[in-house]
Each structure stands twice: as structure tokens, then as C-alpha cells.
Amino acid sequence: MSRIATRFAKLKAENRAGLVTYVTAGDPDLALSFEILKGLPKAGADLIELGMPFTDPMADGPSIQAAGQRALKAGISMDKTLDLVRRFRAETGDEDTPILLMGYYNMVYQRGAERFCKDAAAAGVDGFIIVDLPPEEADELKPFAAKAGIDTVLLTAPTTDAARLPAVLKYASGFLYFVSILGITGTRSASEEAVRDHVARLRQHTQLPIAVGFGIKTPDQAAAVARHADAAVVGSAIVDRVKAGLDEEGKPKPDLLPGVFAYIKALAEGVRRART
Amino acid sequence: MNALNSYRAGPDERGHFGIFGGRYVAETLMPLILDLEKAYEAAKKDPAFKAELDNLNTHYAGRPSPLYHAKRLTERLGGAKIYFKRDELNHTGSHKINNVLGQVLLAKRMGKTRVIAETGAGQHGVATATACALFDIPCVVFMGAVDVARQAPNVFRMKLLGATVVPVTAGSATLKDAMNEALRVWVATVETTFYCIGTVAGPHPYPAMVRDFQSVIGKETREQMMAAEGRLPDTLVACIGGGSNAMGLFHPFLDDKDIRVIGVEAGGKGVETGEHAASLTGGRPGVLHGNRTYLLQDADGQITEAHSISAGLDYPGIGPEHSWLKEVGRVEYVSATDDEALAAFHLLCRTEGIIPALEPAHALAHVLKLAPTLPKDNLLVMNLCGRGDKDVHSVADRMGMTL
């Protein structure tokens, strides 16, 4: 069983939803990015999404755009991103927390899908979330990912209707990522009722765990999602905490790491108390 | 000619031209892009849609644009017989109106209540604002903050026409970022909003749809050349940023295999300097803005900035069909530098009394090199796709003058 499947099985046994935390690789710099990554499981993250910075992140809102720019300015590259994962596995000894790479297809394509999958698997990556690779184009990646033992997490949106859903599910593995709003990351938030209804609708079509993301900013919102979905994904709001830990010149302040981890801890508590 | 040996049969049903094109967009957009494709296919078959578009082209945009024999320039260069397809005489001053009228008609037909667009130099923005005024549809144009500053007259024109201009400060604050922002806003409002893309790029069906609307240029050229010379041209030349004016001229001729077809990219300070916008000459295939195509990028796939004196060519990508035509060898792609384009700009002002836009001045720069090497009976058509009114400030700057 893959790390992702194992983790969701464990969450199910605990009768709780998981917290999926997104951070951008190399934000605000390589050293701090690694410290953040290392500390995520202890702060309460059940799964980790590691963003691959891209100059043109067309599905992302201002927070993640800015995080990517900080990381690129600080010299992040695809090799260094994979190295973060490798070091995470080596230095923490954590062989249980799934790590997914999230980003845009050009990062994959430039390395070549086959080599990308091999390199990612060797580094200890468990899944991909490639925002701009819909089922229509997913054949380019899926066979190589499957061969390397990497799950491909596909997005579904409120616009993905019942007729289209099978096409998405054909390529989805690990879990299904429901984008709860029409829009980009870190902007609007969906109501609990809307999340509940969409998750119920999706469950009629798939046995895969369902994670819900886009627009979750507070522990209460995370808890509301966690009452219905198998995991709540928080990204922009975490990245905003990284930014809040920087001074006006972009230099890290001493409270950056504590600030990020305290916030994740609050989110994790929200998720953990949701069904009690 | 059947589909197998035709250069005009693409894209396939998934929007691919060879390995190029496709639909690399977020899932939220995907169902709506499929809707758009259906709506466009239905409109294409509807005689009423074609009749309305033809009527607007004739009575509003001023088509057909003349095919003009540039006698003085021909004599001066002493080679090929040079014709200009004068799309700079269209309403709003460029070929952009051809595409926009089609797309805004389609938006209306689909019941969309708002149109958004990206713009670089502002020509597509002005054309979109124009069509939206005509059809009484709210219009929002995204424009890089850098471009807003350097294209102030076009920003004002859009506002006069009732459009809202949104400066985009994200990324490098130029055309590619304006397109990112338009895509972001589109995702959030996709049920009500129509995204009017200005060139033969973006996810399928845009590259094919924009090409179809722009193909009026080449179709007219065929008829006009037959009327003028009793035969088809020998050589076609057009400038390329995203590549819509070039595709419009080239596409109807692609299966006339004796016709030499040349696209001219913006060489900026010289392709060897790295400061240019020549994606085909200096880039390699990648995925951006919904399609696979040649892109300016670093080893990791980060998109690098384009450089050109012409804001309309200042884009790090190119339409996917051009990438395919390069790979199959049907079209030659070359580049012209800023300085060569400026020299051509001045020459055309003085020899033909035409102030061209800096974009087609790049095509002209190549004509200046090519025409003298061709025989006098070689019929050469260059697409004069925009007029230079918008560029007089940039040119004056270069001449060290203040207007």
C-alpha cells in the first residue's frame, strides 16, 4: 500500500479527517524552507504538499504567487526541490508522512515525464498534483507515475459534473482533490453546506478519500470541512504566515518558524475536534 | 487534397497540432472550454452567424482590406514585386478586429454577460473594447503595469470605449502576466464571462478559432491576387508575436506547396544576446497558458522575459500551430532585430507614405533583405497588419525626441 493510502487508512481508523498542508519549496529561502518542511508533521500535518515554484502560476492567488517569487528569488530549482524531499526522509527518518509535489506541468515536461517520475520516487515523493494537467492530457504522465509508484491526485471542481467525473476518476489515485470554489487559491471560501453536498455527490462515484481545498483560512473552516471530507487542505493561509514572519526587507524574523507552526497546530486541532 | 497530406487539417479532435497545442488548464476551466468548443463548432455551421460576421466585417471593420502594390518600394529594392495586405486600414488600426468581432459575436450567442481580454501593446484591448461597446457588453481588459505605462494612448482609448483596464503587477507585469491574470479571473467567473484571447494561442479551441477568424486575411489575398495578377503569390511574409496575423495570411495558402511562407519573429537586441522575443528561433517546447508550444525558458522550465521594441511581439511564447509548422518545415521562421525594424519603419514612411506599426516593421525588415534576392516576377505579399499611430512616441524616444 502506498504511503498515501496507508495514511488515509490510519485516519479512518482514528475516525478523523486529515490536515494537508501546502508550503512552497524554497520559501522564504532554502534553509528555512527545509526547517518548515521538517516541522510540519510534528505541528500536526498529516500529509504534505510541496509546491514547485513556477514563474507563471495561473491557478494561484496572490499569496502563493508571492511565495513562488520569493523562492525563485532565493534560488530554488527543481533539483533543490527534490533534494528537500530527500533530506526530509533522510534527516527526520519519517517514512510515513506522504509528500506530494504540487505545481504546473512545464516543470515535469522539461525534465521529461519519465525521468521526473523516477527522480521524484527516488527522492521519496508519493504523489503529484499537477494543476494544469486535466484528464484530457493526463496520459502524458500517468503511465510513468504508476510505474514509479507515485499517485496522481486529480482536481475536481464545482464545474465537474457527473458526466465528466468518470474521466477524472480514470486517472485519479491516492485521493481526489475537490476544489471547493470557482476560483484560484486563497481567495473565497465555500460554505459548509456546499462542501457537504459536493462531498456527498463525489462519494457516490468513488471510493477514493476526498480532500477539500481552496479558501480554508481558519481552524473553524478547517473543522467544518473535516466534518464531511477525509482531509482539509490549507495552503495560502500557511504561506501568509511565512510572509508574516518576514520583515520589510524580506529578511526572516525570529518568530517565523514558531508563527508558522503555531498556526498549523491550531488548524490541526480544528481538524481533530471536528467529529467529536 | 485529403486530410492526410494537408497542412490545413489540424488540430485533431483533442486540439493537438502534432505534439503542440492541447488543453493544459485547471479542471475548473475544462468543462467550460469544452462548452466553448461546442458553441464554436455550432456557430461555424450556422449560416446566420457567418452572415452577421461578414456583414460586420464589411460595414463596420471595413473589409476587404486592399491588396496594394508598393511600386516605389519594389523599384527601390529591385527584386520581387511587393504587395502589402493592408490590414492596418481596418477599424481600430490592425488585424485584431477580425478576431474580436467573431469572438464577441460568439460570446453574445453563448449568453455571456461580460467579456475579458488580455493585451500587450493595447491593440487587442482596444479592438475588444470596441466590439464590446458595439454589442453593449461590459468589458474588462488586463494589461501588465509596465505596458500600461508605456502604452498610455491605448489605455485611454479603451477607457473612452467604456472598458475597465486592470493593471497587472504580478510577475514581470507584462503580457504573459496579463494573460495569467485574465485566466485567474476567468476561473472565478467562468459561468458568466467570456475570455476573448487575442492571438492563436491558449487552450484548444482558441488557436483554431482565432486562426479561422483571421483567415479572412489570406482568403481575400488569394482572390485579390488572382484579380491583380491572374495567379497566386510566390512568397508570403508576416511578423509573429503570438502569430495571429501571420496565421491569418498563411493558413489559406499552406497547401499551395510552391508558395514560400516566412514568419518573422522579434529579434530584440539580437537573438544571440538573449534579449529577444523569438520563441521559435531561441526557445524550445514547453507548456504555458493552456498549450504546448515553443517558449523562452530556462533549463528548469521557468519562463524568461521577452524583449522587443514592439510591445505587440513581446511575448515569450507563440501559437502552437506555428510550432508545428516549424517542425514539419512548411513555414520558415526568421527574426529581425529592433534596429532593423526601426530602419524599415522609417523607410516605409518615406517611400510609400505609410507609417507602419512596429510589429509589421519587423516583417518589412525581412522583406528588405529578401526581396532584392528574388526575381522581378516573384509576387511577394507582406501583411501590413497594423498602423503606427500608437508607436510614434516610442519611435520619437528612440530618435531622442520628445513629443
Side-chain angles (χ1 to χ4, degrees):
Chain A
M1 204 154 57
S2 73
R3 273 194 203 107
I4 294 174
T6 306
R7 179 51 48 105
F8 275 103
K10 178 168 171 271
L11 291 168
K12 194 168 185 182
E14 292 174 14
N15 188 30
R16 69 173 179 93
L19 174 66
V20 184
T21 56
Y22 170 99
V23 292
T24 297
D27 175 36
D29 58 45
L30 208 59
L32 275 168
S33 177
F34 186 59
E35 293 305 312
I36 293 169
L37 189 64
K38 269 200 311 193
L40 288 173
K42 194 175 160 226
D46 297 300
L47 292 90
I48 296 169
E49 287 179 13
L50 187 61
M52 303 179 280
F54 182 45
T55 41
D56 293 78
M58 64 186 195
D60 284 304
S63 299
I64 293 179
Q65 289 175 40
Q69 288 192 338
R70 287 194 295 271
L72 288 168
K73 208 174 153 197
I76 192 67
S77 65
M78 203 54 238
D79 283 343
K80 288 175 184 167
T81 300
L82 291 173
D83 203 46
L84 283 172
V85 181
R86 192 176 300 116
R87 286 169 56 204
F88 174 90
R89 296 282 179 224
E91 292 183 27
T92 64
D94 184 335
E95 287 294 332
D96 302 320
T97 305
I99 299 181
L100 298 98
L101 292 179
M102 182 165 190
Y104 296 83
Y105 187 60
N106 203 39
M107 299 292 103
V108 179
Y109 182 64
Q110 291 312 317
R111 188 168 280 248
E114 184 168 17
R115 193 183 138 212
F116 188 92
C117 292
K118 274 187 197 160
D119 291 353
V125 169
D126 304 290
F128 296 143
I129 306 173
I130 307 298
V131 180
D132 56 350
L133 199 70
E136 278 73 4
E137 310 291 351
D139 276 329
E140 288 192 29
L141 179 63
K142 181 73 188 178
F144 301 118
K147 205 173 147 203
I150 293 183
D151 284 316
T152 47
V153 172
L154 267 74
L155 305 176
T156 70
T159 46
T160 313
D161 60 17
R164 182 171 167 74
L165 199 51
V168 175
L169 292 170
K170 184 182 163 197
Y171 292 98
S173 67
F175 61 91
L176 192 62
Y177 188 138
F178 177 62
V179 173
S180 61
I181 49 140
L182 291 180
I184 51 178
T185 54
T187 50
R188 288 181 285 176
S189 308
S191 70
E192 182 171 349
E193 292 69 34
V195 169
R196 181 195 64 205
D197 294 350
H198 278 294
V199 169
R201 174 177 67 88
L202 293 170
R203 288 207 197 280
Q204 293 174 359
H205 298 270
T206 182
Q207 300 293 314
L208 284 175
I210 296 166
V212 174
F214 282 44
I216 301 174
K217 293 183 177 112
T218 67
D220 284 348
Q221 286 173 332
V225 166
R227 276 191 275 280
H228 309 284
D230 301 302
V233 188
V234 185
S236 298
I238 294 174
V239 157
D240 282 343
R241 293 303 187 287
V242 175
K243 188 184 170 196
L246 302 172
D247 66 19
E248 282 111 56
E249 288 166 10
K251 299 243 162 53
K253 297 187 281 189
D255 64 347
L256 187 149
L257 289 172
V260 170
F261 293 139
Y263 175 66
I264 290 169
K265 196 159 172 259
L267 290 170
E269 280 163 6
V271 166
R272 280 159 205 258
R273 72 164 185 266
R275 295 188 201 163
T276 56
Chain B
M1 180 152 304
N2 66 41
L4 282 175
N5 55 6
S6 171
Y7 289 105
R8 303 180 63 217
D12 66 18
E13 72 284 355
R14 292 166 60 222
H16 291 105
F17 303 91
I19 67 158
F20 300 104
R23 287 173 291 214
Y24 297 84
V25 295
E27 174 60 24
T28 312
L29 285 179
M30 205 50 228
L32 286 296
I33 282 179
L34 295 171
D35 277 355
L36 171 65
E37 187 186 347
K38 263 187 238 154
Y40 174 57
E41 289 303 319
K44 231 170 33 175
K45 290 184 194 115
D46 181 356
F49 182 81
K50 185 179 182 303
E52 192 171 2
L53 184 56
D54 287 350
N55 189 279
L56 283 166
N57 272 336
T58 306
H59 300 287
Y60 188 70
R63 301 210 71 90
S65 67
L67 183 69
Y68 165 71
H69 172 212
K71 271 203 200 86
R72 287 200 64 213
L73 186 70
T74 299
E75 280 163 19
R76 186 178 169 117
L77 297 179
K81 186 169 181 183
I82 298 165
Y83 280 86
F84 291 140
K85 180 59 175 164
R86 299 205 50 193
D87 257 52
E88 101 277 16
L89 294 176
N90 297 337
H91 182 40
T92 73
S94 79
H95 67 291
K96 293 292 185 189
I97 194 79
N98 305 333
N99 164 44
V100 159
L101 288 174
Q103 285 200 49
V104 175
L105 265 184
L106 185 61
K108 213 179 93 176
R109 197 181 152 102
M110 291 176 74
K112 302 292 181 186
T113 53
R114 185 174 78 144
V115 168
I116 60 172
E118 83 294 337
T119 199
Q123 293 302 96
H124 174 59
V126 167
T128 308
T130 298
C132 287
L134 179 66
F135 289 109
D136 194 23
I137 298 179
C139 174
V140 180
V141 180
F142 296 90
M143 189 168 184
V146 170
D147 292 332
V148 168
R150 65 181 174 181
Q151 303 288 334
N154 271 345
V155 174
F156 186 59
R157 278 187 194 105
M158 287 184 260
K159 288 180 179 168
L160 286 174
L161 292 159
T164 305
V165 179
V166 179
V168 177
T169 54
S172 58
T174 58
L175 176 56
K176 76 179 177 72
D177 307 287
M179 195 150 178
N180 289 334
E181 202 58 27
L183 284 162
R184 290 181 187 120
V185 168
W186 194 30
V187 170
T189 55
V190 70
E191 310 274 7
T192 56
T193 296
F194 187 97
Y195 181 16
C196 182
I197 293 183
T199 191
V200 285
H204 178 65
Y206 283 99
M209 177 169 71
V210 176
R211 173 199 71 198
D212 293 349
F213 290 138
Q214 291 293 0
S215 289
V216 67
I217 299 170
K219 286 178 195 155
E220 287 175 5
T221 302
R222 283 183 84 92
E223 286 174 20
Q224 290 167 321
M225 190 57 97
M226 287 304 290
E229 299 278 354
R231 66 181 183 90
L232 294 178
D234 300 296
T235 310
L236 304 174
V237 182
C239 66
I240 304 204
S244 71
N245 92 81
M247 194 55 72
L249 175 65
F250 297 169
H251 196 259
F253 292 101
L254 289 176
D255 283 337
D256 299 283
K257 288 173 190 168
D258 295 334
I259 299 180
R260 187 174 173 196
V261 184
I262 304 167
V264 185
E265 295 192 287
K269 294 177 182 169
V271 174
E272 68 289 351
T273 67
E275 293 189 48
H276 61 86
S279 327
L280 288 175
T281 313
R284 61 177 201 283
V287 174
L288 177 71
H289 293 152
N291 65 102
R292 178 171 12 235
T293 193
Y294 273 74
L295 299 172
L296 301 180
Q297 55 186 326
D298 70 11
D300 252 12
Q302 304 295 349
I303 306 305
T304 53
E305 278 180 56
H307 294 272
S308 172
I309 187 173
S310 150
L313 303 181
D314 207 348
Y315 179 67
I318 185 165
E321 194 168 6
H322 283 294
S323 293
W324 179 72
L325 288 167
K326 173 193 163 79
E327 296 238 323
V328 297
R330 176 63 188 97
V331 177
E332 297 167 46
Y333 293 92
V334 299
S335 64
T337 65
D338 288 350
D339 289 343
E340 290 170 331
L342 270 171
F345 173 97
H346 287 294
L347 181 73
L348 193 66
C349 293
R350 299 293 181 99
T351 50
E352 293 288 346
I354 297 171
I355 302 177
L358 284 171
E359 291 81 11
H362 285 72
L364 186 64
H366 190 70
V367 169
L368 300 186
K369 291 181 226 171
L370 178 68
T373 69
L374 298 172
K376 289 193 171 169
D377 62 353
N378 189 291
L379 302 177
L380 184 153
V381 179
M382 188 199 97
N383 196 8
L384 190 43
C385 63
R387 58 180 174 243
D389 309 38
K390 70 180 175 61
D391 292 318
V392 292
H393 284 87
S394 317
V395 173
D397 266 0
R398 279 289 187 125
M399 297 168 72
M401 294 163 70
T402 311
L403 299 187

